[in-house]
Amino acid sequence: MIKWNIQLVSGIILLAFFVLVGLFGSYIAPYPPDYKVKVGYMETDNGTEFVAPPLAPSKEFPLGTDKWGKDILSLILHGAKYTVFTVLIVAAVRLLAGGIAGVFGGLAASGKKRGKQGRITLLTSIPPVILIYFIMLGININPSLSSFALIFIQGVLMAALGVPGVYNVVYSKTAEIKENLYIMASVTLGANKGHLLKKHIWPILKGDFIILYLNETIQVLHLMGQLAIFNLFFGGTEFQPDFSIYLSMTNEWSGLIGQSRSFLSYSQWILIYPLIAFILFLLSFYLISQGLSQQSRKSHRKNTYI
């Protein structure tokens, strides 16, 4: 009888759903991102009524509208591509850059040099949110640059600041694997670094790389959420001084949450639905990571490595 890995299967299905939403969300959204409900009298189930946003969830607006009359469902669908693919791409860049450097650094280091070369502490000791905040503060609010340029700059910063952490993890793991007796025996018999990497190190590391990638996606999502608390929304922040409000220019999900956090005590749907989308997206990576870890533990119990 086949035993399903429920966490892994659930996570993959959930992540696949969000990728599809990211790809096609803008095409299936009921309204364009700049659509606003007009204030006035409208025919409703209760007859003719005076309507003014924010509107509660209804047949016309399944998730309701915000206080400017924008459809919440449409905003979530339009902003999905910025949230989903930013996380996937930034995490991939972190893993590739830090992972490759960590593997070759671990292979090259030996003895006393290993401890010194395996640590990059300058960038890892400072929270990335602080560095990005001060770099982006002057160019992200009411920007003169395009949203694409801001996405590129912030994406590069988030990727670069995550590389040292990935490097340290991969470096340490590679150095640990090199201590195995069978690898030392291979070196004694004349195996070069390419052979060690292909035949011994990579088969062990590849599972860790997948889990590390998933952990990096979670870290990127956390970072986007932290920046949104300070009104630095991914792709640009529009500040309206007359009302003292900050609005996301791309409608990415952390921005929708950040701009709506004042609605916690009333019209809660404005905050709750973007928050649910963000949490479920985060949950998909957590489920996959936990499922793979569970599968790896079962595999290690069945196989003995010498």
Side-chain angles (χ1 to χ4, degrees), residues 67-170:
K67 71 176 183 179
W68 300 278
K70 294 185 177 182
D71 178 46
I72 299 295
L73 176 59
S74 296
L75 294 180
I76 291 174
L77 291 173
H78 284 294
K81 57 182 176 289
Y82 299 105
T83 305
V84 172
F85 295 114
T86 294
V87 169
L88 295 177
I89 293 172
V90 169
V93 173
R94 285 181 168 194
L95 186 68
L96 285 174
I100 292 173
V103 167
F104 285 100
L107 278 172
S110 61
K112 296 180 179 180
K113 295 180 180 179
R114 187 173 297 154
K116 296 180 180 180
Q117 293 180 356
R119 297 179 181 178
I120 300 179
T121 58
L122 178 60
L123 292 179
T124 54
S125 61
I126 304 175
V129 64
I130 294 178
L131 294 174
I132 296 177
Y133 174 80
F134 285 108
I135 293 173
M136 297 297 298
L137 182 62
I139 62 175
N140 200 71
I141 299 178
N142 290 337
S144 57
L145 298 174
S146 66
S147 291
F148 177 80
L150 292 171
I151 288 171
F152 178 79
I153 294 171
Q154 190 169 332
V156 169
L157 287 172
M158 289 193 298
L161 293 174
V163 168
V166 175
Y167 170 85
N168 287 337
V169 171
V170 176

Side-chain angles (χ1 to χ4, degrees), residues 98-108 167 170-171 174 197 201-202 205 209:
I100 292 173
V103 167
F104 285 100
L107 278 172
Y167 170 85
V170 176
Y171 181 100
T174 304
L197 178 60
I201 294 177
W202 176 244
L205 273 183
F209 261 60

